Amino acid sequence: MPVTIKSEREIELMRKAGEILARTHEELAAAIRPGMTTMDIDRLGEKIIRGFGCIPSFKNYNGYPASICVSVNDEVVHGIPSKHRYLEEGDIVSLDAGVIYKGYHSDAARTVAVGKISPEAEKLIEVTRQCFFEGMKFAKAGNHLNDISTAIQAYAEKFGYGVVRDLVGHGIGTHLHEDPEVPNFAQKKKGIRLEPGMTLAVEPMINMGRPDVIWMDDDWTVKTEDGSLSAHYENTILITDGEPELLSLMH
C-alpha cells in the first residue's frame, strides 16, 4: 500500500479525531487511581470516545476485545482490560487508544502513574515521552523516516534503556495501520523521504531493562522478557512544510 498524502479536508478530519483522542487521554489520566480495575479504565475510555460521536479504533480490531489497551508495569502494549486486574499505588499504566471520526483514525498512547511512583519509574516515563519529541525534531519534509527512528533510539540508549524492536509505529489515515512502518530504532536503509501531508503514528516503547519482549498466551499482551518496567508514548503527527503538527496533543 503506497504511503498516502492527505488532502486539506482529510487533515481537518484527522485534526478533529486527534483533538477528541487528546481529550480522552486527559480524562483517563485524571481518573486513574489505586483500586480501579483495568476494565474500569476501558469502560470509561469507550464512554468518553462514544460521547464525542466517535468509534473506538481498537474495539474488535483483528479480534482485540476492548477499546483501550491497558498495560501495567512490565506489560509493554496490548494489555487486555480485566475486571480482575486492580491497579495499585506505585504501578505505572500505559494507555493506548484510537478513535475514528468520520472515517479517519487518530492513535495515541500515554504512560501514567498510579498514585505515587518510584523516581526510577518517573524517569522512565519522562524519558520515553522525550524520546518522541527527540524524534519529532527530524519529522520534517525532506528528511528520511530513519532520521526519526535513529533519534529516538539514541536518546533512549543514553539512559541505558532498551528500545523494543518487535513493535513499531505506522502510517495512519482511513486505516488504523497504513504504510510506512515507523521503527523506534535505526535502520540500515534511510526509509522514505518525508513529504507534507503524510500522517504517522510515532510511538516509542521503551523498557527499563533489555529490549526483548514476549507474547502472553492471550496472543495480545506483550511483556518485557526480563520483567523490567516499560513505558509507551505516542502521537499522531502530520508532516508539514515546517515543524510537524501533533494532531493528538492538547493545544
Side-chain angles (χ1 to χ4, degrees), residues 96-162:
D96 192 355
V99 307
I100 310 170
Y101 175 78
K102 296 188 177 175
Y104 284 82
H105 291 261
S106 191
D107 187 2
R110 308 281 186 264
T111 300
V112 298
V114 182
K116 189 163 172 48
I117 61 172
S118 71
E120 292 79 16
E122 235 163 53
K123 183 177 166 192
L124 176 68
I125 292 173
E126 183 46 47
V127 168
T128 301
R129 182 177 179 278
Q130 191 57 35
C131 279
F132 170 86
F133 288 100
E134 293 298 318
M136 283 311 89
K137 293 174 184 176
F138 297 91
K140 294 179 183 172
N143 283 351
H144 287 84
L145 193 61
N146 193 42
D147 297 330
I148 298 175
S149 306
T150 302
I152 291 171
Q153 178 183 5
Y155 190 75
E157 289 183 350
K158 280 205 305 206
F159 297 88
Y161 294 151

Side-chain angles (χ1 to χ4, degrees), residues 163-228:
V163 181
V164 173
R165 300 294 198 277
D166 297 64
L167 301 139
V168 295
H170 49 92
I172 185 169
T174 53
H175 295 83
L176 177 59
H177 292 109
E178 299 184 357
D179 284 335
E181 289 196 337
V182 186
N184 299 306
F185 46 93
Q187 305 293 292
K188 288 196 171 65
K189 293 181 176 165
K190 285 181 175 178
I192 60 164
R193 188 182 286 277
L194 301 173
E195 295 176 44
M198 287 179 176
T199 44
L200 305 172
V202 180
E203 50 177 321
M205 288 160 267
I206 309 297
N207 299 344
M208 198 180 273
R210 295 174 50 75
D212 311 299
V213 298
I214 46 175
W215 267 255
M216 296 293 97
D217 291 342
D218 62 21
D219 289 335
W220 280 106
T221 310
V222 180
K223 284 189 172 188
T224 59
E225 194 177 58
D226 61 8
S228 64

Side-chain angles (χ1 to χ4, degrees), residues 46-59:
E46 180 167 353
K47 188 176 162 199
I48 296 166
I49 291 167
R50 293 197 189 278
F52 284 113
C54 290
I55 298 164
S57 300
F58 298 174
K59 189 89 181 236

